[in-house]
Amino acid sequence: MLKICFTFLIISLSALIAFAQTPQPTTTPPPLEDDGDVVKISTNLIQVDVTVTDKNGNPVTNLKADDFEIYENGKKQKITSALFVSSQVIPEGKSTKNKERFGIEIPKPVGEVTSNEVRRTIALVVDDLSLSFESVHFVKRSLRNFVEKQMQQGDLVAIVRTGSGIGALQQFTTDKRRLYAAIEKVKWNSRGAGGISVFKPFSSHKAFDIEIGRGASEGNEDVPVSETGFEDTRKELFASGSLGAIQYVVEGMDRLPGRKSVLLFSDGFQIFSRGETNFTGSSRVLDSLTNLVESANRAAVVIYTMDARGLQTIDFTAADDVGSTPPDEGGIVQTTSNTLISGRRAAFATSRDGINYLAKETGGFSIYNTNDLNAGVKRVLDDQSYYLIAYEPEAESFDPEKRKFNKLNVKVLKNDVEVRYRSGFFNISDDKFKKSEVSLTGNEKILDALVSPFTVNNVSISLSTIFKSDERDNLFVDSYLHINSNDLKFIKTADGKNKAVFDIVVANFGDNGIPTDQISKTFTISVEGQTYDAIIRDGFVYYFTLPVKKPGAYQMRVAIRDQTTDKVGSASQFIEIPKLKKDRLTLSGIVVDNISYKEWNAGLNSDQGKMIVGEDTPENNSSALSDTALRQFKRETVLRYALEVYNTQISSQKRSDLYIRTRLFRDNILVYEGTDVPIISDSAESSPIKPTSGAINLGTNLKPGDYILQIIVTDKLAKEKRQIATQFVQFEIIE
């Protein structure tokens, strides 16, 4: 069911054309003059980010241009400027702890973010293709600590698993709810290269022979030669797959702002592997590493790596069956045991080669030999301040015929400091780069806005999505999109009407990155007189309902484009669809409405349980449509809310025993709390779905700003641990 409802008006729209059914992101690179990039390369100026720390790892902040020397391909360059860029942000204010009798945390506000508000862009990449079962546990604990305590205002964060697609849970966001949901999806990958523990235990002489490189060529006819190198080949494939996934993330970060960092949690991988003849040969991993380093340096992404295995005992463990070790040719068992341990130690050391190389070549560092992953993450976050050093290159720096790669060397003329920087850059001239830039078509612009992690506000829109269900436990998402008509171009037609044409694309993404439902339409509005005046004054709401096949995490994304001006707007909202278990109390999303004191006193407070928007008669609730989409209310008015309660327990007398309580928060501080009020509904007492509503007085003591309304419902007939359900909605109080 699709409707477009104007505030206090109903306008019929005609669909003209449809977009492609599967929106795809554009691959057009950003302009080189983008001020959001940390490293800028042009034929007139090269700017390189350089990190300088003291012996304790703290950033050195008082250096000038004269304190640096920079060499390109061994030739000293003339430095024109050295600017220190601090990534320190103001920490969020302390919030009030809220685990009293409800045991429910204070809901955190979630806001849309624009590119100029981002200070740090951080991708936390979990290499679940290599992590062991035990490493996954510690990585998840570190990720939770980061989101809860280390993530700061201005951070744009993604949690990515190398063994899965880039879905709704793995996109860059400021929404901690989505990040927590992504962390819960991090699990040990039984199909990956990581075992139950860090080391594969020694268990038999056949395993020993394979481990130390002996095969059929040494007289073990029961061990095929190909089996000797099977494990190495398998690890190569998984390592290449992980590096390919990281490169996909890095290329996506090319267009993002702020200090761009990737923190890779991995059990390591070897750059070179041992062949069947026990010789060390070149690995496909090296090619993947080279490509990744090139992409990271071009996109100005610093890669940090963390060995998730922590401190390890390399000697024999309880899992090793040492007693079954056969004697060597001289009859000495101990010698073979020493060989096995030496092999294990060598493999453990060389497995760090890949992550060490990756960090060093991109200006980061590698963290290992520590069981405190949280401290490792803190080191990375403390390393986000840098110097932006600029110099004027020679013309041949961008002549691919003479130089394919320009090697950089940066020195600081101070003692006791550590300097880190990128290894260099490849020859891509401005002219060649710009030739790859094509002007985006109208469809490409709107699809680009649809998949971007940032909101585009050239056409101002506000989105609100609300989960609901029916008697058969079918799941739906109602969406309300308010559009500011002032941002659309209306053209006077021959018949005296005002005409605007705009495109709307909607996609609901699941956690696997695949759109579960899509809408792509072009609409034409043709109005005049008071109708036109009302549209310009109040805007209008595009209302639609999409079915949801299964519970989970989803992201509703919407983009709009005015065909006349080519201006684009976008909005998105993360929504979690719960499992409607019969014994689990659940609340729908919350719709809101705003009325004056006069209307309230005149009796508009008598619609208990009936203020449900999105019915077939939207002219009866067009104000609620607009209020639910915009969520902006004036002081000295009444905020009405409505929602549905699912899976309520019914007594033997066919009655329920439900209570509702409201709480109001600003800046994570509780500013109002009501009392438990019985829910009285005119729906059938035997029905497990109970619609309910209420109201809050927005008095003069509430200052303008962002607020959160939390609804807490208690079912006293349910089991003690399942008596409470909560839901919340954000809104803004304006003058």
Coordinates of all heavy atoms in Angstrom, one line a residue, residues 172-212:
F172 N 29.1 1.9 7.5 CA 29.6 3.0 8.4 C 28.4 3.7 9.0 O 27.5 4.1 8.3 CB 30.5 3.9 7.6 CG 31.8 3.4 7.3 CD1 32.1 2.7 6.1 CD2 32.9 3.5 8.2 CE1 33.3 2.2 5.8 CE2 34.1 2.9 7.9 CZ 34.3 2.3 6.7
T173 N 28.5 3.9 10.3 CA 27.4 4.5 11.0 C 27.8 5.2 12.3 O 29.0 4.9 12.8 CB 26.3 3.4 11.4 OG1 25.2 4.0 12.0 CG2 27.0 2.3 12.3
T174 N 27.0 6.0 12.8 CA 27.2 6.5 14.2 C 26.2 5.9 15.2 O 26.3 6.2 16.3 CB 27.0 8.1 14.2 OG1 25.6 8.3 13.7 CG2 27.9 8.8 13.2
D175 N 25.4 5.0 14.7 CA 24.4 4.4 15.5 C 25.0 3.2 16.3 O 25.3 2.1 15.7 CB 23.2 3.9 14.6 CG 22.0 3.4 15.3 OD1 22.1 3.2 16.6 OD2 20.9 3.3 14.7
K176 N 25.1 3.3 17.6 CA 25.6 2.2 18.4 C 24.8 1.0 18.4 O 25.3 -0.1 18.6 CB 25.9 2.8 19.8 CG 27.0 3.8 19.9 CD 27.4 4.1 21.4 CE 28.6 5.0 21.4 NZ 29.0 5.3 22.8
R177 N 23.5 1.2 18.2 CA 22.6 0.0 18.2 C 23.0 -0.9 17.0 O 23.0 -2.2 17.2 CB 21.1 0.4 18.0 CG 20.5 1.2 19.1 CD 19.1 1.7 18.8 NE 19.1 2.4 17.5 CZ 18.1 2.5 16.7 NH1 16.9 2.0 17.1 NH2 18.1 3.2 15.6
R178 N 23.3 -0.3 15.9 CA 23.6 -1.1 14.7 C 25.0 -1.8 14.9 O 25.2 -2.9 14.5 CB 23.7 -0.3 13.5 CG 23.6 -1.1 12.2 CD 23.9 -0.2 11.0 NE 23.2 1.0 11.0 CZ 23.3 1.9 10.0 NH1 24.2 1.7 9.1 NH2 22.6 3.0 10.0
L179 N 25.9 -1.1 15.6 CA 27.2 -1.7 15.9 C 27.1 -2.9 16.8 O 27.8 -3.9 16.7 CB 28.2 -0.6 16.4 CG 28.5 0.5 15.4 CD1 29.3 1.6 16.1 CD2 29.2 0.0 14.2
Y180 N 26.3 -2.7 17.9 CA 26.1 -3.8 18.8 C 25.5 -5.0 18.1 O 25.9 -6.2 18.4 CB 25.2 -3.4 20.0 CG 25.9 -2.6 21.1 CD1 25.4 -1.3 21.4 CD2 27.0 -3.1 21.7 CE1 26.1 -0.6 22.4 CE2 27.7 -2.4 22.7 CZ 27.2 -1.1 23.0 OH 27.8 -0.4 24.0
A181 N 24.5 -4.8 17.2 CA 24.0 -5.9 16.5 C 25.0 -6.5 15.6 O 25.0 -7.8 15.4 CB 22.8 -5.3 15.6
A182 N 25.9 -5.7 15.0 CA 26.9 -6.3 14.1 C 27.9 -7.2 15.0 O 28.4 -8.2 14.5 CB 27.7 -5.2 13.4
I183 N 28.2 -6.7 16.2 CA 29.1 -7.5 17.0 C 28.5 -8.9 17.4 O 29.2 -9.9 17.4 CB 29.4 -6.7 18.3 CG1 30.2 -5.5 18.0 CG2 30.1 -7.6 19.3 CD1 30.3 -4.5 19.2
E184 N 27.2 -8.9 17.6 CA 26.5 -10.2 17.9 C 26.6 -11.2 16.7 O 26.5 -12.4 16.9 CB 25.1 -10.0 18.3 CG 24.9 -9.3 19.6 CD 25.6 -9.9 20.7 OE1 25.5 -11.2 20.9 OE2 26.4 -9.3 21.4
K185 N 26.8 -10.6 15.5 CA 26.9 -11.5 14.3 C 28.3 -12.1 14.1 O 28.6 -12.9 13.3 CB 26.5 -10.7 13.1 CG 25.1 -10.4 12.9 CD 24.3 -11.6 12.6 CE 22.8 -11.3 12.4 NZ 22.0 -12.5 12.1
V186 N 29.3 -11.6 14.9 CA 30.7 -12.1 14.8 C 30.7 -13.4 15.5 O 30.5 -13.5 16.7 CB 31.7 -11.1 15.5 CG1 33.1 -11.7 15.5 CG2 31.7 -9.7 14.7
K187 N 31.0 -14.4 14.7 CA 31.1 -15.8 15.3 C 32.2 -16.5 14.6 O 32.8 -16.1 13.6 CB 29.8 -16.6 15.0 CG 28.6 -16.0 15.8 CD 27.3 -16.8 15.5 CE 26.1 -16.4 16.3 NZ 25.8 -15.0 16.1
W188 N 32.6 -17.6 15.3 CA 33.7 -18.4 14.7 C 33.3 -19.0 13.4 O 32.2 -19.6 13.3 CB 34.1 -19.5 15.7 CG 35.1 -20.5 15.2 CD1 36.4 -20.1 14.7 CD2 35.0 -21.9 15.0 NE1 37.1 -21.3 14.3 CE2 36.2 -22.3 14.4 CE3 34.0 -22.8 15.2 CZ2 36.4 -23.7 14.1 CZ3 34.2 -24.1 14.9 CH2 35.4 -24.5 14.4
N189 N 34.1 -18.9 12.4 CA 33.8 -19.4 11.1 C 34.4 -20.8 10.9 O 35.6 -20.9 10.8 CB 34.4 -18.5 10.0 CG 33.8 -18.8 8.6 OD1 33.4 -19.9 8.3 ND2 33.9 -17.8 7.7
S190 N 33.6 -21.8 11.1 CA 34.1 -23.2 11.0 C 34.6 -23.5 9.6 O 35.4 -24.5 9.5 CB 32.9 -24.2 11.4 OG 31.8 -24.0 10.5
R191 N 34.3 -22.8 8.6 CA 34.8 -23.0 7.3 C 36.1 -22.3 7.0 O 36.7 -22.4 5.9 CB 33.7 -22.7 6.2 CG 32.5 -23.5 6.3 CD 31.4 -23.0 5.3 NE 31.0 -21.6 5.7 CZ 30.1 -20.9 5.1 NH1 29.6 -21.4 3.9 NH2 29.7 -19.7 5.5
G192 N 36.5 -21.5 7.9 CA 37.7 -20.7 7.8 C 39.0 -21.5 8.1 O 38.9 -22.7 8.4
A193 N 40.1 -20.8 8.1 CA 41.4 -21.4 8.4 C 41.7 -21.6 9.9 O 42.6 -22.3 10.3 CB 42.5 -20.6 7.7
G194 N 40.9 -20.8 10.7 CA 41.2 -20.9 12.2 C 40.5 -22.1 12.8 O 39.4 -22.4 12.5
G195 N 41.3 -22.7 13.7 CA 40.8 -23.9 14.4 C 40.1 -23.6 15.7 O 39.8 -22.4 15.9
I196 N 39.9 -24.6 16.5 CA 39.3 -24.4 17.8 C 40.3 -23.5 18.7 O 39.9 -22.6 19.4 CB 38.9 -25.7 18.5 CG1 37.9 -26.4 17.7 CG2 38.5 -25.4 19.9 CD1 36.5 -25.7 17.6
S197 N 41.5 -23.9 18.6 CA 42.6 -23.2 19.3 C 43.6 -22.6 18.3 O 43.5 -22.9 17.1 CB 43.2 -24.1 20.4 OG 43.9 -25.2 19.7
V198 N 44.5 -21.8 18.9 CA 45.5 -21.2 18.0 C 46.4 -22.2 17.3 O 46.6 -22.0 16.1 CB 46.4 -20.2 18.8 CG1 47.5 -19.7 18.0 CG2 45.5 -19.1 19.4
F199 N 46.8 -23.3 18.0 CA 47.7 -24.2 17.4 C 46.9 -25.5 17.1 O 46.2 -26.0 18.0 CB 48.9 -24.5 18.3 CG 49.7 -23.3 18.5 CD1 49.8 -22.8 19.8 CD2 50.4 -22.7 17.5 CE1 50.6 -21.7 20.1 CE2 51.2 -21.6 17.8 CZ 51.3 -21.1 19.1
K200 N 47.2 -26.1 16.0 CA 46.7 -27.4 15.7 C 47.5 -28.5 16.5 O 48.7 -28.5 16.4 CB 46.8 -27.7 14.2 CG 46.2 -29.0 13.8 CD 46.3 -29.2 12.2 CE 45.7 -30.5 11.8 NZ 45.8 -30.7 10.3
P201 N 46.9 -29.3 17.3 CA 47.6 -30.2 18.2 C 48.3 -31.3 17.4 O 47.8 -31.8 16.4 CB 46.6 -30.8 19.1 CG 45.3 -30.7 18.3 CD 45.4 -29.4 17.5
F202 N 49.5 -31.7 17.9 CA 50.2 -32.9 17.4 C 49.5 -34.1 17.9 O 49.3 -34.2 19.1 CB 51.7 -32.9 17.8 CG 52.4 -31.7 17.4 CD1 53.2 -31.0 18.3 CD2 52.3 -31.1 16.1 CE1 53.9 -29.9 18.0 CE2 53.0 -30.0 15.8 CZ 53.8 -29.4 16.7
S203 N 49.2 -35.1 17.0 CA 48.4 -36.2 17.5 C 48.9 -37.6 17.0 O 48.6 -38.6 17.6 CB 46.9 -36.1 17.1 OG 46.8 -35.9 15.7
S204 N 49.6 -37.6 15.9 CA 50.1 -38.9 15.4 C 51.3 -38.7 14.6 O 51.7 -37.6 14.2 CB 49.0 -39.6 14.6 OG 48.8 -38.9 13.4
H205 N 52.0 -39.8 14.3 CA 53.2 -39.7 13.5 C 52.9 -39.2 12.1 O 53.7 -38.5 11.5 CB 54.0 -41.0 13.4 CG 53.4 -42.0 12.5 ND1 52.3 -42.8 12.9 CD2 53.7 -42.4 11.2 CE1 52.0 -43.6 11.9 NE2 52.8 -43.3 10.9
K206 N 51.8 -39.5 11.6 CA 51.4 -38.9 10.3 C 51.3 -37.4 10.3 O 51.8 -36.7 9.5 CB 50.1 -39.6 9.8 CG 49.7 -39.1 8.4 CD 48.4 -39.7 7.9 CE 48.5 -41.2 7.8 NZ 47.2 -41.8 7.2
A207 N 50.6 -37.0 11.4 CA 50.5 -35.5 11.6 C 51.9 -34.9 11.7 O 52.1 -33.8 11.2 CB 49.6 -35.2 12.7
F208 N 52.7 -35.6 12.5 CA 54.1 -35.0 12.7 C 54.8 -34.9 11.4 O 55.5 -33.9 11.1 CB 54.9 -35.9 13.6 CG 54.3 -36.1 15.0 CD1 54.6 -37.2 15.8 CD2 53.5 -35.1 15.5 CE1 54.1 -37.3 17.0 CE2 53.0 -35.2 16.8 CZ 53.3 -36.3 17.6
D209 N 54.7 -35.9 10.5 CA 55.4 -35.9 9.3 C 54.9 -34.8 8.4 O 55.7 -34.1 7.8 CB 55.2 -37.3 8.5 CG 56.0 -38.4 9.2 OD1 57.0 -38.1 9.9 OD2 55.6 -39.5 9.1
I210 N 53.6 -34.6 8.4 CA 53.1 -33.5 7.5 C 53.5 -32.2 8.1 O 53.9 -31.2 7.4 CB 51.5 -33.6 7.5 CG1 51.2 -34.9 6.7 CG2 51.0 -32.4 6.8 CD1 49.7 -35.2 6.7
E211 N 53.5 -32.1 9.5 CA 53.8 -30.8 10.1 C 55.3 -30.4 9.8 O 55.6 -29.2 9.6 CB 53.7 -30.9 11.6 CG 53.8 -29.6 12.4 CD 52.7 -28.7 12.1 OE1 51.6 -29.1 11.8 OE2 53.0 -27.4 12.3
I212 N 56.2 -31.3 9.8 CA 57.6 -31.0 9.5 C 58.0 -31.1 8.1 O 59.1 -30.9 7.7 CB 58.5 -31.9 10.4 CG1 58.4 -33.3 10.0 CG2 58.2 -31.7 11.9 CD1 59.4 -34.2 10.7

